Amino acid sequence: MIEVQGLTKAYGEKTAVNNISFSVNKGEILGFLGPNGAGKTTTMRVLTGYLPATQGTAKIAGFDVFDDSMEVRRRIGYLPENPPLYLDMTVANYLDFVARIKNVPAEKRAQRVEAATEMAKIADKRGELIKRLSRGYRQRVGLAQAIVHDPDVIILDEPTVGLDPKQIIEVRHLIKSLAGSHTIILSTHILPEVSMTCDRVIIINNGKIVAVDTPENLTLQLKGGERIRVEAQAPEQALRDTLQKIPGAQKVQVDSVGSGGRMTAVVEARQGQDLRSQIAAKIVGQGWPLFELRGENLSLEEIFLQLTTEDPAQKKAEETK
């Protein structure tokens, strides 16, 4: 449904999006994740025709974003960071206006406005002026305008900004209910939203894609993605030395649990290596009581930090090349 190849967007000497390529299947929810300034919003604006690309191509439903801009816009619902609202209009009048400019047939407009307000949970606010709504309700009106014309592709840039926890859950359910019949790109800073809502995740940093996969598979792609937690009664330094000597152990962190000499250790192993049996054998062989031994997966937050946090030494080395 969406095909992006070699997309680049530069503002003078500043390259906001740097030669990225990805695809989104029909009916899929794709999470677009990255720190501030990573290039997420710029990518969204290029895909929706708000900005021209410097290089590369983007197609939506088979239409080129640049050559067939009007065809693309008919098939897209877009919720930008700041919803495009007319504050002096009522919710119903505003959504009817949006439906008109999106070429919804006259006989279907009332039905589409009603459906959009029901899905966005603002049916009881249809007669109110938008300027009298809270920030959370304005965000819902923005979401309703993105779906009022029943588009093939929905692009949402931070859709839960300004919403309370109950509203966030409702929006999450709405997005999931739209999957299958709609293709969705969801940009967010709220990491649990990605893992709870999206089928796949793109992580972008400094204008480049650094990872593409399901949240579950991302842990398997990362160096150091295998992690084992150990709790044993042992001398701290001796436990650290013993675990560090195990082949495949890349990083060992040991902390005291409390009195009695009990220690907890986290061992990060090379990708694909399960060191639990070796760890157990070493600890038992030393005669130390072993209380816990279990594997752990990296959380999406940890994956995000690993992929988007630069090592200062590495950055300096790259700059001196």
Side-chain angles (χ1 to χ4, degrees):
M1 180 60 71
I2 301 175
E3 292 287 341
V4 175
Q5 292 293 328
L7 195 67
T8 296
K9 176 60 181 177
Y11 299 95
E13 296 182 356
K14 170 67 175 177
T15 301
V17 177
N18 191 353
N19 192 32
I20 66 171
S21 300
F22 64 90
S23 62
V24 190
N25 298 321
K26 185 176 181 180
E28 184 178 26
I29 304 177
L30 178 74
F32 213 62
L33 191 60
N36 289 329
K40 303 187 305 299
T41 296
T42 298
T43 302
M44 302 277 185
R45 289 175 177 172
V46 171
L47 288 179
T48 53
Y50 280 72
L51 286 175
T54 305
Q55 292 179 0
T57 62
K59 291 184 178 182
I60 292 179
F63 295 97
D64 189 280
V65 169
F66 317 114
D67 296 335
D68 302 300
S69 177
M70 295 309 297
E71 289 295 334
V72 167
R73 294 182 191 205
R74 290 189 184 99
R75 290 163 173 80
I76 285 181
Y78 179 39
L79 174 63
E81 288 179 289
N82 298 308
L85 306 178
Y86 291 104
L87 302 183
D88 289 324
M89 298 179 75
T90 67
V91 171
N93 287 341
Y94 169 70
L95 292 177
D96 180 73
F97 167 72
V98 173
R100 287 171 182 267
I101 63 176
K102 292 291 186 177
N103 292 322
V104 176
E107 65 274 13
K108 294 183 178 180
R109 281 202 294 268
Q111 177 187 352
R112 288 306 310 160
V113 169
E114 182 179 358
T117 56
E118 291 288 345
M119 287 189 285
K121 305 293 184 183
I122 53 172
D124 59 335
K125 305 292 183 181
R126 290 181 205 170
E128 293 198 24
L129 292 175
I130 295 174
K131 66 182 178 182
R132 294 179 180 168
L133 299 178
S134 68
R135 181 181 178 185
Y137 273 106
R138 292 185 189 185
Q139 189 73 6
R140 290 188 187 206
V141 175
L143 185 58
Q145 68 80 29
I147 61 178
V148 70
H149 56 301
D150 196 25
D152 295 328
V153 175
I154 302 172
I155 297 179
L156 307 174
D157 197 355
E158 303 287 351
T160 56
V161 169
L163 303 184
D164 61 38
K166 181 175 182 292
Q167 292 172 330
I168 289 173
I169 292 172
E170 290 174 347
V171 170
R172 183 188 305 153
H173 289 161
L174 168 59
I175 292 171
K176 294 190 77 170
S177 72
L178 293 170
S181 56
H182 304 269
T183 302
I184 301 171
I185 297 182
L186 167 66
S187 168
T188 182
H189 287 91
I190 304 174
L191 299 181
E193 288 300 309
V194 174
S195 57
M196 293 179 183
T197 308
C198 300
D199 303 311
R200 281 193 305 137
V201 180
I202 286 179
I203 298 179
I204 185 172
N205 190 42
N206 291 327
K208 296 182 179 180
I209 292 176
V210 294
V212 184
D213 212 325
T214 64
E216 296 80 10
N217 287 343
L218 278 174
T219 58
L220 302 178
Q221 293 183 1
L222 287 177
K223 185 177 182 181
E226 306 294 334
R227 188 166 63 180
I228 301 104
R229 181 172 295 275
V230 184
E231 187 175 333
Q233 186 173 340
E236 181 177 348
Q237 190 59 48
L239 177 60
R240 181 180 289 106
D241 292 342
T242 298
L243 295 176
Q244 286 177 338
K245 291 177 182 178
I246 296 175
Q250 292 187 312
K251 182 179 178 182
V252 177
Q253 180 180 344
V254 179
D255 297 298
S256 175
V257 175
S259 59
R262 289 175 69 159
M263 298 288 166
T264 181
V266 176
V267 181
E268 293 189 7
R270 292 192 182 96
Q271 182 179 344
Q273 290 195 335
D274 188 345
L275 303 181
R276 286 177 294 179
S277 61
Q278 297 177 59
I279 292 172
K282 290 289 185 182
I283 292 176
V284 173
Q286 293 283 354
W288 299 327
L290 177 62
F291 298 100
E292 183 181 23
L293 178 65
R294 59 185 171 87
E296 289 186 338
N297 288 327
L298 294 174
S299 68
L300 188 58
E301 287 86 351
E302 291 168 311
I303 293 169
F304 177 77
L305 289 173
Q306 281 199 18
L307 292 172
T308 60
T309 302
E310 293 186 8
D311 184 339
Q314 180 182 352
K315 182 178 180 182
K316 185 177 180 180
E318 291 176 352
E319 290 175 347
T320 57
K321 286 182 179 178

